[in-house]
Amino acid sequence: MKWKWTLLSGVVSAALLSGCGAENSGSSSDAEGADSGGSGTSSEEYTIGVSHTIPETGSTHLGMEEFKKIVEEDTAGQVTVEIYPNGQLYSSEREAIEAVQSNNIEMTVTASAPVAGFNPKFAVLDLPFLFPDHETAYEALDGDFGQSLLDELPESGLRGLAYGETGMRQITNNSGPIETPEDLKGVKIRTMENDVHISTFEEFGADASPFAFGELYSALQQNTYDAMENPINLIDQMKFYEVQDYLTISNHAYTATVAFMNDDFYTSMPEELQTAVSDAAKEALNYQRDLARQQDEEGLEVVEENMEINELSEEQRQEFIDAAEPVYESVADDLGEDLVEEARSFSE
């Protein structure tokens, strides 16, 4: 099995680099000829618009409120932050990334999965059963391995700031408990917009395809999809339990979030403001991770009242792991064995 990666960055940057978005910020286009260490003047003011698809009660939004607070305090108001939650501007994360890339909005926070459409190496983070727990994921993402991925984003017009968390992903559906890959055979399931996610569920026998997160509730309500997979905190916050009957605790993937900005906008700021923004993003997303795990625990209590829940046993989990092995082989073929083995090494 081998797929062709969908690379969006070249097309989008060529078509959309119109400099829009600069009108609501004192940004890069105003300072031609300045060096790469920051083209703005020390007194110039900047506005960072942040778009995301998560509701106001979600940990991502609360994390961005913390980011706003830290940035505005640490820069004495020289940098202000405006947050647009719940898909107000862009209903899909891919659209939000494209908007940041073209500087229609300065910043977004998305799951790591759609970032693979702009830099294929990010797909390694979505390998099934890659990280057995949160701590292992943090070790990988917060060290040299995670930073090496962020360092490649400027090639796509993006500046990676920090990793946050969506969480461990679980399967929901309307047919019955999922206990083996056979139970997913022919099930129409919504996945994220990422070839690894799609291919994983195809290996399980499902009919898998991506769909905009902001429109997913309606799609499930209208039976466009039979099933989906998301962390418990989002199943609760988006009230997916109203349109799905069964939840399987599968922990089949860990999903990080990535906070990133338009690279030209970021480098247009003086170095001290770049540092303030980067440090604030790291601090705010560490805070967000703690919230996400807390919301998983609280969300499970709500979901338990509304859905039938089963958890994969070790034997059942191994059956899914074995079924997903061809995905590892294909990713290694496309991205290199070294990258896959380095990602796997954190779980050894």
Side-chain angles (χ1 to χ4, degrees), residues 197-213:
H197 274 265
I198 296 168
S199 297
T200 295
F201 280 91
E202 288 177 343
E203 290 295 335
F204 297 156
D207 178 8
S209 61
F211 194 81
F213 181 78

Side-chain angles (χ1 to χ4, degrees), residues 92-163:
S92 79
E93 293 184 321
R94 176 185 57 79
E95 291 172 337
I97 298 171
E98 289 175 346
V100 172
Q101 192 179 47
S102 60
N103 209 18
N104 286 329
I105 190 83
E106 290 77 22
M107 181 174 173
T108 190
V109 183
T110 74
S112 58
V115 184
F118 300 80
N119 186 295
K121 288 185 178 180
F122 272 83
V124 75
L125 298 179
D126 295 300
L127 284 166
F129 304 100
L130 178 63
F131 300 128
D133 51 50
H134 295 81
E135 286 70 27
T136 303
Y138 300 161
E139 180 186 0
L141 296 171
D142 296 343
D144 292 342
F145 177 74
Q147 187 60 47
S148 70
L149 297 176
L150 296 180
D151 288 345
E152 297 209 2
L153 288 176
E155 296 177 6
S156 301
L158 305 168
R159 172 70 59 151
L161 301 176
Y163 292 100

